[in-house]
């Protein structure tokens, strides 16, 4: 079955629910449902949400191509913006809960001295660039450079899982699984990457 514009309208309504975990997060904070280190729990939850939405964004194009559903591409921007929103919550939770936002000097030092934080901050800056240029006006203004800029999502897909793997003190299956999913989604684009080399 080929998706129609009406289907896409309802699908986008469903995708808005990517913000619903915020309600669970608020409830968990109020109820004290986290471990003895709630700051870390909040950081990990928001970071994993951002990574899940990054992978979902990368999944759209293969689904559209191999499933012969070109209208699915219209979901990509919404998912990307949610990814940026959760990444912003992730960075903000670290700045507020670990360091205290007032201490910007300490935040700068941490971002420079801890390589996994440097990677995370770089991912956020790249996502910021993609988010602010994700609208049609920016696409028209940037013309051919727009696609070049938005190809940076592939760099984020490499750096974000490394950031997660590097940040955990004890290696567990979860960050490895995210990294493997990212590699798989990048591997589906091998023809595109080969064209770049040519």
């Amino acid at each position: 079955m080929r998706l129609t514009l009406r289907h896409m309208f309802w699908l986008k309504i469903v995708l808005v629910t990517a913000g619903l975990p915020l309600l669970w997060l608020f409830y968990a904070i109020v109820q004290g449902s986290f471990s003895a280190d709630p700051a870390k729990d909040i950081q990990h939850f928001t970071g994993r949400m951002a990574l899940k939405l990054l992978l979902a964004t990368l999944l759209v194009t293969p689904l559209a191509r191999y499933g012969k559903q070109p209208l699915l591409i219209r979901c990509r921007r919404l998912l990307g913006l949610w990814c940026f929103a959760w990444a912003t919550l992730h960075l903000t939770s670290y700045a507020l809960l670990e360091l205290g936002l007032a201490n910007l000097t300490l935040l700068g030092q941490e971002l420079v001295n801890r390589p996994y934080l440097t990677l995370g901050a770089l991912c956020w800056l790249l996502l910021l660039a993609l988010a602010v240029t994700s609208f049609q006006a920016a696409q028209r203004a940037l013309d051919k450079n727009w696609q070049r800029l938005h190809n940076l999502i592939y760099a984020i897909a490499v750096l974000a899982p490394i950031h997660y793997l590097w940040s955990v003190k004890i290696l567990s299956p979860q960050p490895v699984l995210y990294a493997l999913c990212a590699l798989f989604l990048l591997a589906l684009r091998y023809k595109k990457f080969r064209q770049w080399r040519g």
Side-chain angles (χ1 to χ4, degrees), residues 65-198:
R65 180 181 298 128
Y66 298 117
K68 302 187 187 310
Q69 300 289 349
L71 287 179
L72 275 178
I73 295 297
R74 298 187 179 205
C75 296
R76 197 167 48 187
R77 182 169 70 90
L78 181 57
L79 286 168
L81 289 173
W82 271 123
C83 173
F84 173 68
W86 279 101
T88 301
L89 284 173
H90 179 58
L91 178 61
T92 303
S93 67
Y94 175 77
L96 280 175
L97 302 176
E98 288 288 333
L99 306 177
L101 195 57
N103 198 341
L104 293 177
T105 302
L106 179 58
L107 175 61
Q109 290 174 348
E110 289 287 290
L111 292 178
V112 170
N113 294 331
R114 299 192 183 197
Y116 77 92
L117 292 179
T118 307
L119 274 185
L122 177 59
C123 288
W124 183 83
L125 288 172
L126 294 177
L127 284 171
L128 173 63
L130 300 189
V132 299
T133 60
S134 65
F135 302 93
Q136 287 186 355
Q139 189 170 356
R140 287 193 296 268
L142 290 170
D143 197 25
K144 293 180 180 179
N145 291 322
W146 186 89
Q147 187 59 61
R148 294 191 187 101
L149 175 64
H150 280 254
N151 284 338
L152 288 173
I153 192 170
Y154 304 129
I156 300 168
V158 173
L159 297 176
I162 294 174
H163 162 72
Y164 187 16
L165 283 163
W166 212 344
S167 69
V168 294
K169 294 179 181 177
I170 300 173
L171 189 61
S172 62
Q174 195 170 50
V176 174
L177 181 60
Y178 282 113
L180 290 174
C181 287
L183 286 174
F184 173 72
L185 290 170
L186 291 173
L188 291 176
R189 293 163 166 84
Y190 73 96
K191 289 183 180 178
K192 182 173 187 175
F193 298 145
R194 283 180 64 185
Q195 288 174 354
W196 292 358
R197 290 181 61 187

Side-chain angles (χ1 to χ4, degrees), residues 1 25 27 131 169:
M1 181 185 73
L25 182 62
Y27 175 81
K169 294 179 181 177

